[in-house]
Short mmCIF file of all heavy atoms in Angstrom, two decimals:
data_model
loop_
_atom_site.label_atom_id
_atom_site.label_comp_id
_atom_site.label_asym_id
_atom_site.label_seq_id
_atom_site.Cartn_x
_atom_site.Cartn_y
_atom_site.Cartn_z
N ALA A 15 29.54 39.20 30.35
CA ALA A 15 30.12 40.31 31.09
C ALA A 15 31.26 39.85 31.99
O ALA A 15 31.70 40.57 32.87
CB ALA A 15 29.04 40.99 31.93
N ALA A 16 31.74 38.60 31.78
CA ALA A 16 32.87 38.03 32.49
C ALA A 16 32.58 37.77 33.96
O ALA A 16 33.43 37.93 34.81
CB ALA A 16 34.10 38.93 32.34
N SER A 17 31.37 37.35 34.27
CA SER A 17 31.06 36.96 35.63
C SER A 17 31.86 35.74 36.01
O SER A 17 31.93 34.78 35.25
CB SER A 17 29.56 36.65 35.74
OG SER A 17 29.26 36.10 36.99
N PRO A 18 32.49 35.70 37.19
CA PRO A 18 33.35 34.58 37.54
C PRO A 18 32.61 33.31 37.89
O PRO A 18 33.16 32.23 37.85
CB PRO A 18 34.12 35.10 38.76
CG PRO A 18 33.20 36.11 39.37
CD PRO A 18 32.49 36.74 38.22
N ALA A 19 31.33 33.42 38.27
CA ALA A 19 30.58 32.23 38.67
C ALA A 19 29.48 31.98 37.66
O ALA A 19 28.78 32.88 37.25
CB ALA A 19 29.96 32.44 40.05
N ALA A 20 29.33 30.72 37.25
CA ALA A 20 28.32 30.41 36.26
C ALA A 20 27.84 28.98 36.47
O ALA A 20 28.64 28.09 36.73
CB ALA A 20 28.89 30.56 34.84
N PRO A 21 26.54 28.73 36.33
CA PRO A 21 26.04 27.37 36.47
C PRO A 21 26.53 26.48 35.33
O PRO A 21 26.95 26.96 34.30
CB PRO A 21 24.52 27.55 36.42
CG PRO A 21 24.30 28.86 35.73
CD PRO A 21 25.46 29.71 36.08
N ALA A 22 26.46 25.17 35.53
CA ALA A 22 27.03 24.24 34.56
C ALA A 22 26.26 24.21 33.25
O ALA A 22 26.84 23.98 32.21
CB ALA A 22 27.09 22.85 35.17
N TYR A 23 24.94 24.43 33.29
CA TYR A 23 24.14 24.33 32.07
C TYR A 23 23.31 25.59 31.91
O TYR A 23 22.47 25.88 32.75
CB TYR A 23 23.22 23.11 32.14
CG TYR A 23 23.97 21.82 32.17
CD1 TYR A 23 24.30 21.22 33.37
CD2 TYR A 23 24.35 21.20 30.99
CE1 TYR A 23 25.00 20.02 33.39
CE2 TYR A 23 25.05 20.01 31.00
CZ TYR A 23 25.37 19.42 32.21
OH TYR A 23 26.06 18.24 32.23
N LYS A 24 23.55 26.29 30.81
CA LYS A 24 22.74 27.46 30.53
C LYS A 24 22.90 27.82 29.06
O LYS A 24 23.87 27.44 28.41
CB LYS A 24 23.13 28.65 31.41
CG LYS A 24 24.56 29.10 31.21
CD LYS A 24 24.85 30.24 32.16
CE LYS A 24 26.26 30.75 32.01
NZ LYS A 24 27.26 29.74 32.35
N MET A 25 21.94 28.58 28.56
CA MET A 25 22.00 29.01 27.18
C MET A 25 22.74 30.32 27.11
O MET A 25 22.61 31.17 27.98
CB MET A 25 20.58 29.18 26.62
CG MET A 25 20.55 29.29 25.12
SD MET A 25 18.87 29.39 24.52
CE MET A 25 18.50 31.09 24.84
N GLY A 26 23.56 30.50 26.08
CA GLY A 26 24.30 31.74 25.97
C GLY A 26 24.73 32.01 24.55
O GLY A 26 24.68 31.14 23.70
N PHE A 27 25.19 33.26 24.32
CA PHE A 27 25.75 33.61 23.03
C PHE A 27 27.07 32.88 22.86
O PHE A 27 27.84 32.73 23.81
CB PHE A 27 25.95 35.12 22.92
CG PHE A 27 24.68 35.90 22.99
CD1 PHE A 27 24.49 36.87 23.95
CD2 PHE A 27 23.66 35.63 22.10
CE1 PHE A 27 23.31 37.58 24.02
CE2 PHE A 27 22.47 36.34 22.16
CZ PHE A 27 22.30 37.32 23.12
N GLN A 28 27.34 32.42 21.64
CA GLN A 28 28.50 31.58 21.41
C GLN A 28 29.74 32.44 21.27
O GLN A 28 29.87 33.21 20.34
CB GLN A 28 28.28 30.73 20.17
CG GLN A 28 27.13 29.76 20.33
CD GLN A 28 27.47 28.62 21.27
OE1 GLN A 28 27.90 27.57 20.85
NE2 GLN A 28 27.27 28.82 22.54
N GLU A 29 30.68 32.25 22.19
CA GLU A 29 31.83 33.14 22.24
C GLU A 29 33.18 32.42 22.17
O GLU A 29 34.20 33.04 22.37
CB GLU A 29 31.78 33.98 23.52
CG GLU A 29 30.49 34.77 23.64
CD GLU A 29 30.27 35.38 24.99
OE1 GLU A 29 31.00 35.03 25.94
OE2 GLU A 29 29.37 36.21 25.09
N LYS A 30 33.23 31.12 21.99
CA LYS A 30 34.53 30.46 21.91
C LYS A 30 34.49 29.26 20.97
O LYS A 30 33.43 28.71 20.70
CB LYS A 30 35.00 30.02 23.31
CG LYS A 30 34.15 28.95 23.95
CD LYS A 30 34.57 28.73 25.39
CE LYS A 30 33.58 27.81 26.09
NZ LYS A 30 33.73 27.75 27.52
N ILE A 31 35.67 28.83 20.52
CA ILE A 31 35.77 27.61 19.74
C ILE A 31 36.30 26.52 20.64
O ILE A 31 37.35 26.68 21.27
CB ILE A 31 36.67 27.79 18.51
CG1 ILE A 31 35.89 28.52 17.41
CG2 ILE A 31 37.18 26.45 17.99
CD1 ILE A 31 36.66 28.76 16.15
N VAL A 32 35.58 25.42 20.73
CA VAL A 32 35.97 24.28 21.55
C VAL A 32 36.27 23.11 20.62
O VAL A 32 35.50 22.83 19.70
CB VAL A 32 34.85 23.91 22.55
CG1 VAL A 32 35.10 22.56 23.18
CG2 VAL A 32 34.73 24.98 23.63
N GLY A 33 37.38 22.42 20.87
CA GLY A 33 37.71 21.23 20.10
C GLY A 33 38.34 21.52 18.76
O GLY A 33 38.47 20.62 17.92
N GLY A 34 38.73 22.76 18.52
CA GLY A 34 39.34 23.13 17.25
C GLY A 34 40.85 23.18 17.33
O GLY A 34 41.47 22.60 18.22
N GLN A 35 41.47 23.91 16.41
CA GLN A 35 42.92 24.04 16.38
C GLN A 35 43.29 25.36 15.73
O GLN A 35 42.44 26.04 15.15
CB GLN A 35 43.53 22.89 15.59
CG GLN A 35 43.01 22.76 14.17
CD GLN A 35 43.45 21.47 13.52
OE1 GLN A 35 44.64 21.17 13.47
NE2 GLN A 35 42.51 20.69 13.01
N GLU A 36 44.56 25.74 15.87
CA GLU A 36 45.00 26.99 15.28
C GLU A 36 44.92 26.92 13.77
O GLU A 36 45.30 25.92 13.15
CB GLU A 36 46.42 27.32 15.72
CG GLU A 36 46.91 28.65 15.19
CD GLU A 36 48.28 29.05 15.70
OE1 GLU A 36 48.72 28.48 16.74
OE2 GLU A 36 48.93 29.91 15.07
N ALA A 37 44.40 27.99 13.17
CA ALA A 37 44.28 28.04 11.72
C ALA A 37 45.63 28.32 11.07
O ALA A 37 46.53 28.91 11.68
CB ALA A 37 43.28 29.14 11.33
N GLU A 38 45.77 27.90 9.84
CA GLU A 38 46.91 28.34 9.03
C GLU A 38 46.78 29.85 8.87
O GLU A 38 45.69 30.35 8.55
CB GLU A 38 46.87 27.66 7.67
CG GLU A 38 48.05 27.94 6.77
CD GLU A 38 49.32 27.23 7.20
OE1 GLU A 38 49.23 26.23 7.94
OE2 GLU A 38 50.40 27.69 6.78
N PRO A 39 47.85 30.63 9.10
CA PRO A 39 47.71 32.09 8.99
C PRO A 39 47.09 32.52 7.66
O PRO A 39 47.51 32.07 6.59
CB PRO A 39 49.16 32.59 9.12
CG PRO A 39 49.81 31.55 9.99
CD PRO A 39 49.19 30.24 9.55
N HIS A 40 46.05 33.33 7.78
CA HIS A 40 45.36 33.96 6.64
C HIS A 40 44.63 32.97 5.75
O HIS A 40 44.35 33.25 4.58
CB HIS A 40 46.34 34.81 5.83
CG HIS A 40 47.21 35.69 6.68
ND1 HIS A 40 46.67 36.66 7.50
CD2 HIS A 40 48.56 35.69 6.89
CE1 HIS A 40 47.66 37.26 8.16
NE2 HIS A 40 48.80 36.69 7.81
#
Side-chain angles (χ1 to χ4, degrees):
S17 172
Y23 295 93
K24 61 182 180 297
M25 194 176 79
F27 296 123
Q28 296 288 266
E29 303 168 349
K30 66 188 171 192
I31 282 180
V32 167
Q35 57 190 305
E36 183 175 341
E38 185 73 21
H40 314 299

